[in-house]
Amino acid sequence: MRHIAALIALVLFLGACGDKDASVASVTPSLIARAEAADSPAGNFVQVQYQEGREYTVLAEPVKTVSGDKIEVTEFFSYGCIHCFHFETAVHAWEKNTMPAGVEFVQTPAVFNKAWEHYARTFYAAKALGVWDKAHPVVFDTIHVKRKRLGTVDEMAELFTTFGVKEDDFKKAYSSFGVTSQVQAGDARARAAGLRGTPELMVDGRYKITTGSAGGHEQMFQVANFLIDKIKRERK
């Protein structure tokens, strides 16, 4: 019962925070079901049968994936989002420990405003310049730990010199046709998925998982794994 009490308390907290995807009415049954599973002799969340309309939603129209035959899990995020910064811990844990075989994880920057378009261009420029692995955690850390917003192209270009990229080369990549096309394509995918906030997950271009519907960051990947297993069984 201690699990149930703790998770009900989480529901009330989410409601107080005003998360539009985490209403008490929609999240409570999900959390109680998971708490009951944890209190069962097995105590294994994998046994929980997640339900459409509760822990995840089915998109009205599938969104085209970019991962070929692999099952694609897309995270919609932004460097400007503090929740996405914290979500990175769950991302790394999932990729290292429980990401199923035959799955490709894709991060797609959300473009809700000009500031976030700037961060999206930075993401794709880092990919184009071959320094994304180095730059990705540093950009997040600089913005949310060091409290430097990196809100201009000049500031971002200066940061990228620490990765061995000349400022002019960063600016050229940032404004290039290729990066512009990727920003537009990513924004189109987010709109097609009905993106309302970040971070959100999209599985196989068909299913969407939010923090509120799943009950937390780690739980989002538990639901993703459930859907991946479902897709694999359908493909047999």
Side-chain angles (χ1 to χ4, degrees), residues 19 21-22 55-57 199-201 208-216 220:
D19 184 342
D21 289 323
E55 288 87 7
Y56 65 92
T57 57
E200 288 187 2
L201 295 180
K208 187 170 68 170
I209 308 165
T210 69
T211 306
S213 67
M220 290 173 74

Side-chain angles (χ1 to χ4, degrees), residues 162-228:
T162 63
F163 312 126
V165 176
K166 295 180 181 179
E167 290 190 20
D168 284 347
D169 289 342
F170 174 81
K171 291 178 181 179
K172 288 177 182 177
Y174 178 97
S175 301
S176 68
F177 175 80
V179 165
T180 299
S181 297
Q182 289 179 85
V183 170
Q184 293 173 345
D187 185 39
R189 279 165 51 82
R191 291 177 184 275
L195 184 68
R196 297 175 62 192
T198 53
E200 288 187 2
L201 295 180
M202 180 174 66
V203 180
D204 200 40
R206 294 188 286 158
Y207 305 105
K208 187 170 68 170
I209 308 165
T210 69
T211 306
S213 67
H217 289 172
E218 292 181 2
Q219 290 85 347
M220 290 173 74
F221 285 107
Q222 292 172 4
V223 178
N225 285 349
F226 168 82
L227 292 170
I228 291 165

Side-chain angles (χ1 to χ4, degrees), residues 3 7 34-35 37-39 43-50 219 222:
H3 298 282
L7 289 171
R34 270 173 266 163
D39 279 335
N44 189 343
F45 283 166
V46 176
Q47 294 178 342
V48 176
Q49 293 297 305
Y50 298 111
Q219 290 85 347
Q222 292 172 4

Side-chain angles (χ1 to χ4, degrees), residues 144-160:
H144 297 291
V145 177
K146 296 181 180 179
R147 304 294 184 182
K148 298 179 180 178
R149 298 306 296 174
L150 299 175
T152 69
V153 179
D154 287 339
E155 289 174 329
M156 200 67 80
E158 182 179 357
L159 176 67
F160 269 67

